[in-house]
Amino acid sequence: MSDDAPLKTLTLPFTRGELAWPAGGKVACLRARAGLLLPDGVSAQDIVAEQSYLPHVHALRRGGWQVDGQGAELGGTFDLVLVLPPRQKEEARATFARAVALCAPGGRVVACQHNDEGARSGEADLKALAGLGGSLTKNHCRVFWTAPLHGQHDAALAARWAAADAPRAIAGGRFTSRPGVFAWDRIDPASALLVEHLPGKLAGVGADLGAGWGYLSAEVLARCEKVTRIDLYEAEGRALALARTNLAAFGERARFHWADVSAGLDGKYDFIVSNPPFHTTNRTGRPELGQSFIKAAADGLRQGGRLLLVANRHLPYEEVLGASFCQIDVLAERDGFKLISAIKAGR
């Protein structure tokens, strides 16, 4: 059983008999994750999932779920819309607004959050938007739901919440971003440290692992004229869509991969830059994620190729770097971050 508590709790109103599952009805799950505890007689094939984070998409598909590709938003209407709200407030509110909009007449929204991830706030938001039909608590989570909806929601509030999640200009208008993606409203200081020490002599074909909304790749292409192409690898479809916008001016010098880096890279590269993740989508610390990026970089670099990696100073990356790289140097440290340069060892 998954230790993801909201997955155990989201369907609690149905297993306790508080609510009836819509027999033969259409059901959607927004921000779906594999491992949802389903009521008796219900299978994953009965639910359409919406998810933009590729590792979750792979896990859902292995479990038999119907999932649209690259974070495509669902269309149509549903008799039940299940929601696992994201942590970021504007994104979560926009998700509630979408859930209400997806409800067919008489449909309802059921949502669940962990207490440490904004459950009370989420419940208050859904109540303000569409009213509450009930709530339950278990597993340090709160599951809450609307009464059957027949248009009785605050349409003006829904419109404001949807607008608050829309892409908008940041960094003085140079880039476009939106709530919920990593460092959505600013230049991340770790990435800025890497850019400040970016070698002007970088050349050839490179990759950006965990590219986010595209800041590092944009700076590489703008500063290093001998770089012929950079491939952006990003698992979060919402972020990758922003990167496409932010690097549109570079044309064929930028290519985009909705990909799980830990599964390997599509090609061999002269250099790689990376500000890898070190936590899961629910903020659980996972330094092995960054370590998997280093291993993928080692496999994806040509002999003598260079990795430029920026990370929190405390993260244990040196041992895994030493397994495949030589000339490992810390180029800079600041504000708790370290910038490491590593050359892929020859045979």
Side-chain angles (χ1 to χ4, degrees), residues 21 24 67 71 105 117-118 120 123 135 138 142 159 173 180 195 204 206 213 224 227 235 259 279-280 287 294-295:
W21 193 268
V67 193
E117 296 183 355
R120 286 191 177 275
E123 182 181 46
S135 68
K138 190 177 181 180
R142 182 174 294 267
V195 167
W213 49 259
C224 305
V227 171
H279 52 68
T280 60
I294 294 170
K295 293 174 183 176

Side-chain angles (χ1 to χ4, degrees), residues 108-159:
R108 69 170 83 234
V109 174
V110 178
C112 183
Q113 289 176 279
H114 197 281
N115 292 337
D116 294 338
E117 296 183 355
R120 286 191 177 275
S121 177
E123 182 181 46
D125 284 341
L126 187 60
K127 181 179 180 180
L129 179 64
L132 284 185
S135 68
L136 293 169
T137 59
K138 190 177 181 180
N139 303 321
H140 305 287
C141 295
R142 182 174 294 267
V143 55
F144 43 95
W145 59 91
T146 67
L149 295 174
H150 295 277
Q152 74 276 25
H153 68 278
D154 189 331
L157 183 62

Side-chain angles (χ1 to χ4, degrees), residues 7-19:
L7 291 178
K8 302 177 184 179
T9 315
L10 177 58
T11 57
L12 184 65
F14 303 98
T15 57
R16 281 196 177 177
E18 298 273 348
L19 298 176

